[in-house]
Amino acid sequence: LAGAVALAQGPLHTLVPEDYLARAAAFALRGLASWATGYLEVAQASYEQCLPEFERIGHLGDYLGCSLALADMQLARGRLRAARTTFERALALVAARGGVPRGTADMHTGLAAVLVELGDLDAARASLERSEDLGELGALPQNPYRLRVVRARIAEAGGDLDAAAALLDEAA
């Protein structure tokens, strides 16, 4: 996998600044390869670099998918406020552009997970409700799993350990 990071970086040196799609894809690939090999700082920086490129060309689905990966890394590194900002920026971009690209539901689910960690259970429930309202068409394949995990965390925070365990079983 370490070779994948080097391969992903190669195109960045030859791309012209105006080739936003190729630059976005190269940054995202470097981010993925770095994440897979444990280089979280490089991975995070790479995803942060790909987001403006995808935004510039209007690839909202890719923007949302990369935002989810970035926020996952931020959460893994204990950066709750950064993850919250990542989700909120993605949702603001969707609102500004209109429509419901695939991945929008995931942004609401991810934001709910952050809000649980911050102790704002009412806001977390509201964010999950928005995610559920968008349904499968607004979600990436992993959203049903993530949604159940967040629901379980809310149930746990409310003291309902049986419901939390059942939701985690569903998630599995």
Side-chain angles (χ1 to χ4, degrees):
L1 285 175
V5 175
L7 284 173
Q9 290 185 147
L12 289 170
H13 302 294
T14 62
L15 296 173
V16 295
E18 296 78 26
D19 194 351
Y20 304 121
L21 179 57
R23 289 174 54 77
F27 284 130
L29 181 58
R30 182 177 70 186
L32 182 60
S34 298
W35 190 10
T37 55
Y39 297 104
L40 287 183
E41 287 193 28
V42 174
Q44 184 173 327
S46 297
Y47 278 108
E48 288 169 350
Q49 290 172 298
C50 81
L51 291 178
E53 307 290 339
F54 280 132
E55 180 180 0
R56 211 173 268 121
I57 58 175
H59 281 225
L60 291 184
D62 293 320
Y63 184 98
L64 297 178
C66 289
S67 291
L68 186 59
L70 174 60
D72 281 347
M73 284 180 258
Q74 291 165 329
L75 288 170
R77 299 179 80 199
R79 298 183 174 149
L80 294 174
R81 297 209 189 310
R84 181 179 186 166
T85 298
T86 297
F87 288 126
E88 288 174 342
R89 281 185 185 154
L91 288 168
L93 182 59
V94 168
R97 299 276 171 101
V100 181
R102 195 162 191 194
T104 304
D106 301 75
M107 298 301 102
H108 287 292
T109 300
L111 180 57
V114 172
L115 293 167
V116 169
E117 289 297 319
L118 294 173
D120 193 346
L121 298 182
D122 290 336
R125 285 185 195 97
S127 194
L128 275 185
E129 193 172 303
R130 286 190 289 279
S131 178
E132 291 172 324
D133 288 346
L134 292 173
E136 285 184 35
L137 293 179
L140 296 169
Q142 70 268 29
N143 195 53
Y145 161 79
R146 288 175 178 263
L147 199 123
R148 284 173 177 82
V149 169
V150 176
R151 277 193 206 144
R153 293 174 60 220
I154 290 172
E156 176 189 25
D160 191 347
L161 300 182
D162 290 335
L167 286 161
L168 290 175
D169 286 342
E170 282 182 38

